[in-house]
Amino acid sequence: TTMLTEEQLFQLESSMYKYASLFDDKALTTIDINTDMQCVNMFTASKRLAGRAESTLQAYCLELWGLRKKSGKSFIELTTFDIKKYFMTLQMDGLKLSTLNNKRLYFSSFFEFMYDEGIRKDNPMKRIEPFKEPKIQRHAYSIADIESLRGNCENIRDRAIIEFFLATGLRVSEVTQLRVRD
């Protein structure tokens, strides 16, 4: 299968919204799409300049476009109620509170950026509080647990990885990004 370029995807999305607007008065215009794309591009550029990882920038974009698609409104038109409604839908779909809080942080950062840049006159996220997550008590590995981990290693490479995790406390994502020069 052939993948679409970003430009082709933009043209396809624009055409779809133009076609949808023939049947739906509430459909977004091409102007809304252009403005929203510019806002997201400016936002990700500022986050890239601040040193955010590309995976983080992709997560921002994914979440923002998901909100926009589900709400059917441009980023400038979205209200606090629209965003709360979106979160309620996600919560009813069974998403964990920690996932909702991550989405909330992405949206807060984006709408704060739009407010600071003068694109919006308000920040609709200002009135959306973090979701209260239950406290999870984490327990350290027992000596028996550690010995079991070591004993189940099939080769020296696996053993080295286990020892590295135990010695540093790094997350899997942090270890996978390490390079020999680090």
Side-chain angles (χ1 to χ4, degrees):
T1 60
T2 308
M3 300 294 290
L4 297 175
T5 66
E6 192 172 328
E7 178 63 28
Q8 290 169 326
L9 193 59
F10 171 74
Q11 291 300 327
L12 176 62
E13 186 178 20
S14 296
S15 298
M16 289 172 60
Y17 277 109
K18 282 181 192 174
Y19 183 77
S21 67
L22 296 173
F23 304 102
D24 181 6
D25 292 339
K26 296 176 88 178
L28 297 172
T29 65
T30 304
I31 295 167
D32 293 328
I33 295 164
N34 288 336
T35 302
D36 285 348
M37 288 188 88
Q38 288 173 344
C39 290
V40 171
N41 288 341
M42 287 170 37
F43 172 70
T44 54
S46 74
K47 292 298 179 184
R48 185 175 285 114
L49 186 62
R52 299 299 188 280
E54 285 302 314
S55 58
T56 302
L57 299 177
Q58 289 172 359
Y60 276 121
C61 290
L62 182 68
E63 297 304 335
L64 290 169
W65 289 114
L67 169 64
R68 184 184 179 280
K69 180 180 179 183
K70 200 75 150 168
S71 70
K73 292 185 175 182
S74 70
F75 294 128
I76 293 174
E77 296 174 321
L78 280 168
T79 65
T80 298
F81 179 76
D82 295 326
I83 298 169
K84 284 183 177 181
K85 191 167 94 175
Y86 176 72
F87 280 128
M88 284 186 271
T89 303
L90 295 177
Q91 196 170 21
M92 289 189 307
D93 288 345
L95 260 64
K96 292 193 284 185
L97 295 176
S98 58
T99 303
L100 295 177
N101 273 325
N102 285 339
K103 291 177 185 293
R104 188 190 146 290
L105 289 173
Y106 291 147
F107 299 159
S108 291
S109 183
F110 177 68
F111 285 106
E112 185 67 26
F113 169 82
M114 289 184 71
Y115 174 74
D116 289 347
E117 292 295 317
I119 299 167
R120 283 190 61 116
K121 294 185 188 328
D122 68 337
N123 177 353
M125 291 302 297
K126 207 134 191 103
R127 295 177 304 282
I128 299 178
E129 295 181 33
F131 300 96
K132 187 153 175 80
E133 298 178 54
K135 298 283 184 208
I136 298 174
Q137 184 67 37
R138 305 214 185 263
H139 299 284
Y141 287 124
S142 68
I143 297 201
D145 292 334
I146 293 171
E147 288 308 315
S148 176
L149 285 169
R150 288 176 174 150
N152 285 308
C153 292
E154 295 180 5
N155 54 49
I156 196 161
R157 176 191 164 274
D158 293 351
R159 176 74 186 257
I161 291 170
I162 292 297
E163 294 298 335
F164 188 76
F165 276 121
L166 292 170
T168 62
L170 290 174
R171 298 176 179 152
V172 172
S173 62
E174 294 168 327
V175 172
T176 60
Q177 293 176 2
L178 285 176
R179 300 293 169 249
V180 173
R181 67 180 178 273
D182 296 335

